[in-house]
Every structure is written in C-alpha cells, then in structure tokens.
Amino acid sequence: MAAGYDLVVVGAGHAGCEAAAAAARMGGRVAVVTLHRETVAQMPCNPAMGGIGKGHLIAELDALGGLQGWASDRAGLQFKVLNASRGPAVWGPRAQCDKARYTEVMRRILEGLGGIDLIEGEAEGLLTTDGAVAGVRLGDGRRIRGTTTLLTTGTFLGGVLHEGERRRPGGRHGERPSIGLGAELKGLGLELRRFKTGTPPRLRRSSLDVARMEVQAGDEPPRPFSFRTRSVANRVVCWVTRTPEAVQTIIEDNLHRSPLFSGVIDGVGPRYCPSIEDKVVRFPHHREHTVFLEPEGADTESVYVNGLSTSLPADVQEAVVHAVPGLGGAEFLRYGYAVEYDVVAPGQVGRDLVCRELPGLALAGQVLGTSGYEEAAILGFLAGVNAVRSGRGEPPLVLGREAAYAGVLVDDLVTRDHVEPYRMFTSRAEHRLVLGVDSARERLMGHGVALGLVRRRVFHVERGRWEARERARRSAQSTRLNPDRATREKVRELTGIELTAPTTWAGVLRRQDVDPVRAATGLPELSGLNDEDRRIVVGTLRYEGYLERHRREVARVQRLRGVPIPPELDLSAIPGLSREVVEQLLRHRPTTLAEAEGLPGMTPAAVAILAGRLAAKRGPAR
C-alpha cells in the first residue's frame, strides 16, 4: 500500500468508480475505501441507466472517456430512446441493465487498472494538516493520506432506513451507515441538510401474471451508449400496468402508518420521483398511476416495481401490490423502504468540486445533493480528473452551461440553492438545442483526448465522421430541385409529395408531411453515411434555423464573458435583478461578466440581464 496518494476516494459507488478510474488512467495514485469490495458500483435502486437528461450525461461522460456508458452496454438487457417522437435535442437513451453484471464489469475495471488500491474499511474521520484535509482515518485505526480526498458516500452519511413503523440505521438495504464522518464534517464547519429517497418492492418474476399487462419492448435496432460499443441486443421485455382506484383507498386508510406523513421522516425527498403515497396525497384526482415492471437481471427472478416506491408497512405494501392488475399473486423478495441521509448544502464547493473552506476535500454524488447514478458518475469523473490536474499545477476542467449538461449540473450545484435531491432534466439547460446526445462527441471528445482518456486514433475516426456529416448537410442544402418531370417522380417516390416549386433536399426534409428518415435513405447526397450519421444529418437539417439562432446566442454570451464591469456601474439600479443577485454582486464586485457568472445565486437570466446592460453601455457591436 502506498504511503501517500494523489486521490483518496471514500465510497465505491458510481461517483467513486468514475473518479478512481479517471485519476488512475491519468497517472494518479488512487486509494478507494469501501465497506465491501463486492458492492462496487452497485445499482441499489432502479435497474436502468439513462433517460431524459440523464442519457445526455452518460453520452457526455462517454465522450470525455468515462466508463458508465460502456459498462451499461455490456450489462444492458433492453435499450430504448425516450422522447423519440420529439426533436433530437431532447431524446433520452435508456438501458435496462443486469445489476449484477454491471457491478462485475466495473469491479473488474478497477481491479485491472494499475495505480488503484481497493481498501475495505469504514472511513470514520478526516485527517487535517494546517486547515486542509489530508486523508481519512479508518475505523480500525488505519490512516490513508492523500493530496485530495473525495467523499462519494451516497446515502450512507447518517443514513436511517424506514419501513412503516420500523426504523433502523442503514445506508441502504443490509448495510450500516456512516455516522462519525458526518459529525466530523459538521465540526469542520460544513452545513449539512437532511434529504430522503426511497425504493419500491422487488417481486418474484414467476409469480407475476404478465398476460394481464402491456408488453414494453426495446427499440429495434437497439442503440448503444458508447462509441466503444459496436452493437448491443435486447434480451428482455418489461411490462406496464396501472393502479386501480382501490390502491388509492388502501393508501388513504393507512397514511397514519407512513413515516412520510406521521412526522417520523424529516428529510426532503425528490419531487420528480415521489413515492406512491406522495402521489396519492399530491394528486388526489389521479385515480390511476402507471407501474413499470423491470427485470433486475437476465438470470434473476427479481423484478423492480417502478412507480410503487414506498415506505409503508409490509402488510400495506402487500395490499397495494396485490390490488394491481397482474400482481394479485405476486411474491415479495424485498419490501420497499425510505432512507434519510445527510448531504452537504449547496454552494460550499467550487466549480472544481473542492470545498471552498476546506482545501483538499472534494465532494461528488448524493452527498452533494444529487439524485441518480448518472449525475453521480459525471461529478465523480470531474472530481477525479481535477484532483490529478490540481496535483500537476494545472487548472481544473470546467465546462460551461453552453458546452455540456455536465456544465449545467456543476453550475447549478455551485451557484443555486436546492432543498431537495437534484435531478437532471433537459429543461434545466437553456442551451439544450445544441446539447443533444448526438453532438456530445463533437463537443467534448477533444477534452477526453487532451486528458489522455480517449485515444487519438479513435478521435480521428470520429472527426472523419463529423466532417462527412457536414459535407452531406451542405450538399443537401445546396442541391437544387426544380419541378421537372424526372425530379417530381423521384421526390414522389421518396416522399409521397408533389413537388410544385423549386427547393432543395433540405427543404423537402423539413416538411411536416414527409417521413424524413425514409426519404433520407434514398438521397444520393447522404448515401455515403451509415444509419446513425444519416439520422443525425436529418435532425440537423430539420432544425437548422433554430440551431443556427441558438449558436449565435451562445457565441454572443461567450464574447460577452470577457467584457469588463466598470467599477462605477450602479449594480443595484439594474432592473430585473433579484435582491439576492444584487447582494452577491455588491459583496464580490466582479470585474468581468465571467466572474459575475461564477457567483453563488447568479442564474442564466441574471447573467443575460447584466450582459444586456453592459452591451448597452458599450454601444452597438462592431
């Protein structure tokens, strides 16, 4: 075991694994402290990766050289793109995964990488030197020293599990919480908050009457997450059913036994992933709620009951489940429960994810107030990368809001207050039109190459594809179609429409009465592209006007970032700025718009208002 490490990671969940792997691949020496080696990268809640907003994070992580997308492809059981009926900017790739297989894949990666020591033990406290964190102290007395210490403790910090009237310490099912570490963080001056999350029951597959449910199959052909993956296959189906009105009555009659409504739970839960009792109370006019039955593995009987997250007592859970069509004879493998845990309140870390008042201590994942495997993974990756860069005297990798969903995530955590678990949605990104999954590699793979986490050969191949797509796009925009007889017949054959006026193939593909994917397969301008590249070009052509307008707005914001803020400017007199924003501006007196953008509480709207005032003072752009 090394005497000192570049990075000490506490916790081997999704954040911890990505941090350790990135740092080790960059040449860093890494220690990973975990309670149990076999629970590395465990998926303790749902068996899915990706979705709307979350799939974007996986695509960006993959482009940077992270591992979650690649591991999901290898553990994937079913692949589907959510929001496929809408524009490509908000498509959300999602994969149902084999939980055991995912853990196995990630553990083998960590064990196979040089520079990583996987240490079983419980971190009870922090080592400090001259006001900076210098490692961790384990429960058995061992001391693990490192230049940067990264906490990725998930729901373990002060964790308490709730199942009806039953309450016990725990970070998740079957595992004890971390108590001493949370107390030490408070003692060092960090503000903690209490959050909660929950999980639904697990049922025995063979006890379900799936004939009474709607089958939910994957996409054909299925689409992988990672550029490293050649192909994937759908191996399972999921099922959909709905709660009847009887479930509403059962829950209403037993709310007094719910820790959520009896005052036992103090923590704030995720607004966008509520428990079934939450939904019954908050949406009393919704007499039905959708339930998804999702297999947790290819060779396991365990089925995850998505939509029935609950902390009601076991007997009430049984009554609720057995009232649902198709679940009348369901056998329980595990009951649902809620978990309360401590998180570090927002605004106490910088954009490098290092605590502002505690040098040497970084945070990532649920301990930083996020919710989800994907948010945790990208934060862990960035923290691991920046730990190594800091040790080399290099600036941190910081992505702007206009560059990546990862940038939106970090910016929101650093500058905005949130009183509930943070979940990524496409609606959080004001630049989402240019941040689609399909553009992640073009936007971010260059960073991956510079970090040494993406091979240059791969980058050159990908860049060749981008250039081919651009040539095809320009050709489709410039090829003139005149309504002569031969052209009309060709257009009719490919699209089913009558060409009556001169246009281009780009103009044809933008029409609402044209199936663009079908039409594009016959266009000579796109004939040299594979299916994926052709689909990307079609999406770009159909939304070209919106995209171009948005690119101009992004470029304008980037130009304005270097604009100085005159010291004589009366910041309190700018209409539209909130009192909180004005207080921050007056307290810190930023000298440029870029500095103002990084202040706590500065929203994109506030930046836009300030940018507009500065632009007005400078006069017309030249």
Coordinates of all heavy atoms in Angstrom, one line a residue, residues 232-302:
V232 N -25.4 -3.8 -29.6 CA -26.0 -4.3 -28.4 C -27.3 -5.1 -28.8 O -27.7 -5.0 -30.0 CB -26.4 -3.2 -27.4 CG1 -25.1 -2.6 -26.8 CG2 -27.2 -2.1 -28.1
A233 N -27.8 -5.8 -27.9 CA -29.0 -6.6 -28.2 C -30.1 -6.5 -27.1 O -29.7 -6.4 -25.9 CB -28.7 -8.1 -28.4
N234 N -31.3 -6.5 -27.4 CA -32.4 -6.5 -26.5 C -32.6 -8.0 -26.0 O -32.8 -8.9 -26.8 CB -33.7 -6.0 -27.0 CG -33.6 -4.5 -27.3 OD1 -33.2 -3.8 -26.5 ND2 -34.1 -4.1 -28.4
R235 N -32.6 -8.2 -24.7 CA -32.6 -9.6 -24.2 C -33.9 -9.8 -23.3 O -34.2 -10.9 -22.9 CB -31.4 -9.9 -23.4 CG -30.1 -9.7 -24.2 CD -28.8 -9.7 -23.3 NE -28.7 -10.9 -22.5 CZ -27.9 -11.0 -21.4 NH1 -27.2 -9.9 -21.1 NH2 -27.9 -12.1 -20.7
V236 N -34.5 -8.7 -22.9 CA -35.7 -8.9 -22.1 C -36.8 -7.9 -22.5 O -36.5 -7.0 -23.3 CB -35.4 -8.6 -20.6 CG1 -34.4 -9.6 -20.0 CG2 -35.0 -7.2 -20.3
V237 N -38.0 -8.1 -22.1 CA -39.1 -7.1 -22.2 C -39.5 -6.7 -20.8 O -39.2 -7.4 -19.8 CB -40.3 -7.7 -22.9 CG1 -40.0 -8.1 -24.4 CG2 -40.9 -8.9 -22.2
C238 N -40.1 -5.5 -20.7 CA -40.6 -5.0 -19.5 C -42.2 -5.0 -19.6 O -42.7 -5.3 -20.7 CB -40.1 -3.6 -19.2 SG -38.3 -3.5 -19.0
W239 N -42.9 -4.8 -18.6 CA -44.3 -4.8 -18.6 C -44.9 -3.5 -17.9 O -44.2 -2.9 -17.1 CB -44.9 -6.0 -17.9 CG -44.4 -7.3 -18.5 CD1 -44.9 -8.0 -19.6 CD2 -43.3 -8.0 -18.0 NE1 -44.1 -9.1 -19.8 CE2 -43.1 -9.2 -18.9 CE3 -42.3 -7.9 -17.0 CZ2 -42.1 -10.1 -18.7 CZ3 -41.3 -8.8 -16.8 CH2 -41.2 -9.9 -17.6
V240 N -46.1 -3.1 -18.4 CA -46.7 -1.9 -17.8 C -48.1 -2.3 -17.3 O -48.8 -3.0 -18.0 CB -46.8 -0.8 -18.9 CG1 -47.5 0.4 -18.3 CG2 -45.5 -0.4 -19.4
T241 N -48.4 -1.8 -16.1 CA -49.8 -2.0 -15.6 C -50.1 -0.7 -14.9 O -49.3 0.3 -14.9 CB -49.9 -3.2 -14.7 OG1 -51.2 -3.3 -14.3 CG2 -49.0 -3.0 -13.5
R242 N -51.3 -0.6 -14.3 CA -51.8 0.6 -13.7 C -52.5 0.3 -12.4 O -53.2 -0.7 -12.3 CB -52.6 1.5 -14.6 CG -51.8 2.1 -15.7 CD -52.7 2.6 -16.8 NE -51.9 3.2 -17.9 CZ -51.3 2.4 -18.9 NH1 -51.5 1.1 -18.9 NH2 -50.5 2.9 -19.8
T243 N -52.3 1.2 -11.4 CA -53.0 1.0 -10.1 C -54.5 1.3 -10.3 O -54.9 2.3 -10.9 CB -52.4 1.9 -9.0 OG1 -52.6 3.3 -9.4 CG2 -50.9 1.7 -8.8
P244 N -55.4 0.5 -9.7 CA -56.8 0.8 -9.7 C -57.2 1.7 -8.6 O -56.3 2.1 -7.8 CB -57.4 -0.6 -9.5 CG -56.4 -1.3 -8.6 CD -55.1 -0.8 -9.1
E245 N -58.4 2.1 -8.6 CA -58.8 3.1 -7.5 C -58.7 2.5 -6.1 O -58.6 3.2 -5.2 CB -60.3 3.5 -7.8 CG -60.7 4.7 -7.0 CD -61.9 5.4 -7.6 OE1 -62.2 5.3 -8.8 OE2 -62.7 6.0 -6.9
A246 N -58.8 1.2 -6.1 CA -58.7 0.5 -4.7 C -57.4 0.9 -4.0 O -57.3 1.0 -2.8 CB -58.8 -1.0 -4.9
V247 N -56.3 1.0 -4.8 CA -55.0 1.4 -4.2 C -55.1 2.8 -3.5 O -54.5 2.9 -2.5 CB -53.9 1.4 -5.3 CG1 -52.6 2.1 -4.8 CG2 -53.6 0.0 -5.7
Q248 N -55.8 3.7 -4.2 CA -56.0 5.0 -3.6 C -56.6 4.9 -2.2 O -56.1 5.5 -1.2 CB -56.9 5.8 -4.5 CG -56.9 7.3 -4.1 CD -56.0 8.1 -5.1 OE1 -55.3 7.5 -5.9 NE2 -56.1 9.4 -5.0
T249 N -57.6 4.0 -2.1 CA -58.3 3.8 -0.8 C -57.4 3.2 0.2 O -57.4 3.6 1.4 CB -59.6 3.0 -1.1 OG1 -60.4 3.6 -2.0 CG2 -60.4 2.8 0.2
I250 N -56.7 2.1 -0.2 CA -55.8 1.4 0.8 C -54.8 2.4 1.4 O -54.6 2.4 2.6 CB -55.1 0.3 0.0 CG1 -56.1 -0.8 -0.4 CG2 -54.0 -0.3 0.9 CD1 -55.5 -1.8 -1.3
I251 N -54.2 3.2 0.5 CA -53.2 4.2 1.0 C -53.8 5.2 1.9 O -53.2 5.6 2.9 CB -52.4 4.7 -0.2 CG1 -51.6 3.7 -0.9 CG2 -51.5 5.9 0.3 CD1 -50.9 4.1 -2.1
E252 N -54.9 5.8 1.5 CA -55.5 6.8 2.3 C -55.9 6.3 3.6 O -55.8 7.1 4.7 CB -56.8 7.4 1.5 CG -56.4 8.2 0.3 CD -57.7 8.6 -0.5 OE1 -58.7 8.0 -0.3 OE2 -57.6 9.5 -1.3
D253 N -56.3 5.1 3.7 CA -56.7 4.5 5.0 C -55.5 4.2 5.9 O -55.7 3.9 7.1 CB -57.5 3.2 4.8 CG -58.9 3.4 4.2 OD1 -59.3 4.6 4.2 OD2 -59.5 2.4 3.7
N254 N -54.3 4.2 5.3 CA -53.1 3.8 6.1 C -52.0 4.9 6.2 O -50.9 4.7 6.6 CB -52.5 2.6 5.5 CG -53.3 1.3 5.8 OD1 -53.2 0.7 6.9 ND2 -54.1 0.9 4.9
L255 N -52.4 6.1 5.8 CA -51.4 7.2 5.8 C -50.8 7.5 7.2 O -49.7 7.9 7.3 CB -52.0 8.5 5.3 CG -52.1 8.7 3.7 CD1 -52.8 10.0 3.4 CD2 -50.7 8.6 3.1
H256 N -51.6 7.2 8.2 CA -51.1 7.4 9.6 C -50.0 6.5 9.9 O -49.3 6.7 10.9 CB -52.3 7.3 10.6 CG -52.9 5.9 10.6 ND1 -53.7 5.4 9.6 CD2 -52.7 4.9 11.5 CE1 -54.1 4.1 9.9 NE2 -53.5 3.8 11.0
R257 N -49.8 5.4 9.1 CA -48.7 4.4 9.4 C -47.5 4.7 8.5 O -46.5 4.0 8.5 CB -49.3 3.0 9.1 CG -50.5 2.6 10.0 CD -50.9 1.2 9.7 NE -49.9 0.3 10.1 CZ -49.9 -1.0 9.7 NH1 -50.9 -1.5 8.9 NH2 -49.0 -1.9 10.0
S258 N -47.6 5.7 7.7 CA -46.5 6.1 6.8 C -45.5 7.0 7.5 O -46.0 8.1 8.0 CB -47.0 6.8 5.5 OG -46.0 7.4 4.8
P259 N -44.2 6.7 7.5 CA -43.3 7.6 8.2 C -43.2 9.0 7.5 O -42.8 10.0 8.1 CB -42.0 6.9 8.1 CG -42.1 5.9 7.0 CD -43.6 5.5 7.0
L260 N -43.6 9.0 6.2 CA -43.6 10.3 5.5 C -44.7 11.3 6.0 O -44.5 12.5 6.0 CB -43.9 10.1 4.0 CG -42.8 9.4 3.2 CD1 -43.4 9.2 1.7 CD2 -41.6 10.2 3.1
F261 N -45.8 10.7 6.5 CA -46.9 11.6 6.9 C -47.2 11.5 8.4 O -48.1 12.2 8.9 CB -48.2 11.2 6.1 CG -48.0 11.5 4.6 CD1 -47.7 10.5 3.8 CD2 -48.2 12.8 4.1 CE1 -47.5 10.7 2.4 CE2 -48.0 13.0 2.8 CZ -47.7 12.0 1.9
S262 N -46.4 10.7 9.1 CA -46.6 10.7 10.6 C -45.6 11.6 11.3 O -45.6 11.6 12.5 CB -46.5 9.2 11.0 OG -45.2 8.7 10.8
G263 N -44.7 12.2 10.6 CA -43.7 13.1 11.2 C -42.4 12.4 11.5 O -41.5 13.1 12.1
V264 N -42.3 11.2 11.2 CA -41.1 10.4 11.6 C -39.9 10.9 10.7 O -38.8 11.0 11.1 CB -41.3 8.9 11.5 CG1 -40.0 8.2 11.7 CG2 -42.4 8.5 12.5
I265 N -40.2 11.1 9.4 CA -39.1 11.4 8.4 C -39.1 13.0 8.3 O -40.1 13.6 8.1 CB -39.4 10.8 7.0 CG1 -39.2 9.3 7.1 CG2 -38.5 11.5 6.0 CD1 -39.4 8.6 5.8
D266 N -37.9 13.5 8.5 CA -37.7 15.0 8.4 C -37.1 15.3 7.0 O -37.2 16.5 6.6 CB -36.7 15.5 9.5 CG -37.3 15.3 10.9 OD1 -38.5 15.5 11.1 OD2 -36.5 14.9 11.8
G267 N -36.4 14.4 6.4 CA -35.7 14.7 5.1 C -36.6 15.0 4.0 O -37.8 14.5 4.0
V268 N -36.1 15.8 3.1 CA -36.9 16.2 1.9 C -36.6 15.2 0.7 O -35.4 15.0 0.4 CB -36.6 17.6 1.4 CG1 -37.4 18.1 0.2 CG2 -36.8 18.6 2.6
G269 N -37.6 14.7 0.1 CA -37.5 13.7 -0.9 C -37.5 14.4 -2.3 O -37.7 15.5 -2.5
P270 N -37.2 13.5 -3.3 CA -37.1 14.0 -4.7 C -38.5 14.3 -5.3 O -39.4 13.5 -5.2 CB -36.5 12.9 -5.5 CG -36.8 11.7 -4.7 CD -36.8 12.1 -3.2
R271 N -38.7 15.5 -5.7 CA -40.0 16.0 -6.2 C -40.5 15.2 -7.4 O -41.7 14.9 -7.6 CB -40.0 17.5 -6.6 CG -41.3 18.0 -7.1 CD -41.2 19.4 -7.6 NE -40.4 20.3 -6.7 CZ -40.1 21.6 -7.0 NH1 -40.6 22.1 -8.0 NH2 -39.4 22.2 -6.1
Y272 N -39.5 14.8 -8.3 CA -39.9 14.2 -9.6 C -39.8 12.7 -9.5 O -40.0 12.0 -10.6 CB -38.9 14.7 -10.7 CG -39.0 16.2 -10.7 CD1 -37.9 17.0 -10.2 CD2 -40.1 16.9 -11.3 CE1 -38.0 18.4 -10.3 CE2 -40.1 18.3 -11.4 CZ -39.1 19.0 -10.8 OH -39.1 20.4 -10.9
C273 N -39.6 12.1 -8.4 CA -39.7 10.6 -8.3 C -40.4 10.3 -6.9 O -39.8 9.7 -6.0 CB -38.3 10.1 -8.3 SG -38.3 8.3 -8.4
P274 N -41.6 10.7 -6.8 CA -42.3 10.6 -5.5 C -42.7 9.2 -5.2 O -42.9 8.3 -6.1 CB -43.5 11.5 -5.6 CG -43.8 11.4 -7.1 CD -42.5 11.3 -7.8
S275 N -42.9 8.9 -3.9 CA -43.5 7.6 -3.5 C -44.9 7.5 -3.9 O -45.6 8.5 -4.2 CB -43.3 7.4 -2.0 OG -44.2 8.3 -1.3
I276 N -45.5 6.3 -3.9 CA -46.9 6.1 -4.3 C -47.8 6.9 -3.3 O -48.8 7.4 -3.7 CB -47.3 4.6 -4.4 CG1 -48.7 4.5 -4.9 CG2 -47.1 3.9 -3.1 CD1 -48.9 5.0 -6.3
E277 N -47.4 6.9 -2.0 CA -48.2 7.6 -1.0 C -48.1 9.1 -1.3 O -49.1 9.9 -1.1 CB -47.9 7.3 0.4 CG -46.4 7.4 0.8 CD -45.7 6.1 0.7 OE1 -45.9 5.3 -0.3 OE2 -44.9 5.8 1.6
D278 N -47.0 9.6 -1.7 CA -46.8 11.0 -2.1 C -47.8 11.3 -3.3 O -48.5 12.4 -3.3 CB -45.4 11.3 -2.6 CG -44.5 11.8 -1.5 OD1 -45.1 12.4 -0.5 OD2 -43.3 11.7 -1.6
K279 N -47.8 10.5 -4.3 CA -48.7 10.7 -5.4 C -50.1 10.7 -5.1 O -50.9 11.5 -5.6 CB -48.4 9.7 -6.5 CG -47.0 9.8 -7.2 CD -46.8 8.9 -8.4 CE -46.3 7.6 -7.9 NZ -45.8 6.7 -9.1
V280 N -50.5 9.8 -4.2 CA -52.0 9.8 -3.8 C -52.4 11.1 -3.1 O -53.4 11.6 -3.3 CB -52.2 8.5 -2.9 CG1 -53.5 8.7 -2.1 CG2 -52.2 7.3 -3.7
V281 N -51.5 11.6 -2.2 CA -51.8 12.8 -1.5 C -51.7 14.1 -2.4 O -52.6 14.9 -2.3 CB -50.8 13.0 -0.3 CG1 -51.0 14.3 0.4 CG2 -51.1 11.8 0.7
R282 N -50.7 14.1 -3.2 CA -50.4 15.3 -4.0 C -51.3 15.4 -5.3 O -51.6 16.5 -5.8 CB -49.0 15.4 -4.5 CG -48.0 15.7 -3.3 CD -46.6 15.4 -3.7 NE -46.1 16.0 -4.9 CZ -44.9 15.8 -5.5 NH1 -44.1 14.9 -4.9 NH2 -44.6 16.4 -6.6
F283 N -51.8 14.2 -5.8 CA -52.6 14.2 -7.0 C -53.9 13.4 -6.7 O -54.1 12.3 -7.3 CB -51.8 13.6 -8.1 CG -50.4 14.2 -8.3 CD1 -49.3 13.4 -8.0 CD2 -50.3 15.5 -8.8 CE1 -48.0 13.9 -8.2 CE2 -49.0 16.0 -8.9 CZ -47.9 15.2 -8.6
P284 N -54.7 13.9 -5.8 CA -55.9 13.1 -5.4 C -56.9 12.8 -6.5 O -57.7 11.9 -6.5 CB -56.5 14.0 -4.3 CG -56.0 15.4 -4.6 CD -54.7 15.2 -5.1
H285 N -56.8 13.6 -7.6 CA -57.8 13.4 -8.7 C -57.2 12.4 -9.7 O -58.0 12.0 -10.6 CB -58.0 14.8 -9.4 CG -58.6 15.8 -8.5 ND1 -59.8 15.6 -7.9 CD2 -58.1 17.0 -8.1 CE1 -60.1 16.7 -7.1 NE2 -59.1 17.6 -7.3
H286 N -56.0 12.0 -9.6 CA -55.5 10.9 -10.4 C -55.8 9.6 -9.8 O -55.1 9.2 -8.8 CB -53.9 11.1 -10.6 CG -53.5 12.3 -11.4 ND1 -52.3 12.6 -11.8 CD2 -54.3 13.4 -11.8 CE1 -52.2 13.7 -12.4 NE2 -53.4 14.2 -12.4
R287 N -56.8 8.9 -10.3 CA -57.2 7.7 -9.7 C -56.4 6.5 -10.2 O -56.6 5.4 -9.6 CB -58.7 7.4 -10.0 CG -59.6 8.6 -9.7 CD -59.4 9.2 -8.3 NE -59.9 8.3 -7.2 CZ -59.9 8.6 -5.9 NH1 -59.3 9.8 -5.5 NH2 -60.4 7.8 -5.1
E288 N -55.5 6.7 -11.2 CA -54.7 5.6 -11.6 C -53.2 6.1 -11.7 O -53.0 7.3 -12.0 CB -55.1 5.1 -13.0 CG -56.4 4.3 -13.1 CD -56.6 3.7 -14.5 OE1 -55.9 4.1 -15.4 OE2 -57.5 2.9 -14.6
H289 N -52.3 5.2 -11.5 CA -50.9 5.6 -11.6 C -50.2 4.4 -12.3 O -50.4 3.3 -12.1 CB -50.2 5.8 -10.2 CG -50.9 6.9 -9.4 ND1 -50.6 8.3 -9.7 CD2 -51.8 6.9 -8.5 CE1 -51.3 9.0 -8.9 NE2 -52.0 8.2 -8.1
T290 N -49.3 4.8 -13.2 CA -48.6 3.8 -14.1 C -47.5 3.1 -13.3 O -46.8 3.7 -12.5 CB -47.9 4.5 -15.3 OG1 -48.9 5.2 -16.0 CG2 -47.3 3.5 -16.2
V291 N -47.4 1.8 -13.5 CA -46.4 0.9 -12.8 C -45.7 0.2 -13.9 O -46.3 -0.5 -14.8 CB -47.1 -0.1 -11.9 CG1 -46.1 -1.0 -11.2 CG2 -47.9 0.7 -10.8
F292 N -44.3 0.2 -13.8 CA -43.5 -0.5 -14.8 C -42.8 -1.6 -14.1 O -42.2 -1.5 -13.0 CB -42.4 0.5 -15.3 CG -43.0 1.7 -16.1 CD1 -43.3 2.8 -15.4 CD2 -43.2 1.6 -17.4 CE1 -43.8 3.9 -16.1 CE2 -43.7 2.7 -18.1 CZ -44.0 3.9 -17.4
L293 N -42.9 -2.8 -14.6 CA -42.2 -4.0 -14.1 C -40.9 -4.2 -14.9 O -41.0 -4.5 -16.1 CB -43.1 -5.2 -14.2 CG -44.3 -5.3 -13.2 CD1 -43.8 -5.3 -11.7 CD2 -45.4 -4.3 -13.4
E294 N -39.8 -4.1 -14.2 CA -38.5 -4.1 -14.9 C -37.6 -5.2 -14.3 O -37.2 -5.1 -13.1 CB -37.8 -2.7 -14.7 CG -38.6 -1.6 -15.2 CD -38.1 -0.2 -14.9 OE1 -37.2 -0.1 -14.0 OE2 -38.6 0.8 -15.5
P295 N -37.2 -6.2 -15.1 CA -36.3 -7.2 -14.6 C -35.0 -6.7 -14.1 O -34.4 -5.8 -14.8 CB -36.1 -8.1 -15.8 CG -37.3 -7.9 -16.7 CD -37.6 -6.4 -16.5
E296 N -34.4 -7.2 -13.0 CA -33.2 -6.7 -12.5 C -32.0 -7.5 -13.0 O -30.8 -7.1 -12.6 CB -33.2 -6.7 -10.9 CG -34.2 -5.7 -10.4 CD -33.9 -5.4 -8.9 OE1 -33.8 -6.3 -8.1 OE2 -33.8 -4.2 -8.6
G297 N -32.2 -8.5 -13.8 CA -31.1 -9.2 -14.3 C -31.6 -10.3 -15.3 O -32.8 -10.6 -15.4
A298 N -30.7 -10.8 -16.1 CA -31.1 -11.9 -17.1 C -31.3 -13.2 -16.4 O -32.1 -14.0 -16.8 CB -30.0 -12.0 -18.1
D299 N -30.6 -13.5 -15.2 CA -30.7 -14.8 -14.6 C -31.2 -14.6 -13.2 O -30.8 -15.4 -12.3 CB -29.3 -15.4 -14.6 CG -28.8 -15.6 -16.0 OD1 -29.5 -16.1 -16.9 OD2 -27.6 -15.2 -16.2
T300 N -32.1 -13.7 -12.9 CA -32.6 -13.5 -11.6 C -34.1 -13.4 -11.6 O -34.7 -12.9 -12.7 CB -32.1 -12.2 -10.9 OG1 -32.7 -12.1 -9.6 CG2 -32.3 -11.0 -11.7
E301 N -34.8 -13.8 -10.6 CA -36.2 -13.7 -10.5 C -36.7 -12.3 -10.1 O -37.9 -12.0 -10.1 CB -36.8 -14.7 -9.5 CG -36.9 -16.1 -10.0 CD -38.3 -16.4 -10.6 OE1 -38.5 -15.8 -11.8 OE2 -39.1 -17.0 -10.0
S302 N -35.7 -11.5 -9.6 CA -36.1 -10.2 -9.1 C -36.6 -9.2 -10.1 O -35.9 -8.9 -11.1 CB -34.9 -9.6 -8.3 OG -35.2 -8.4 -7.7

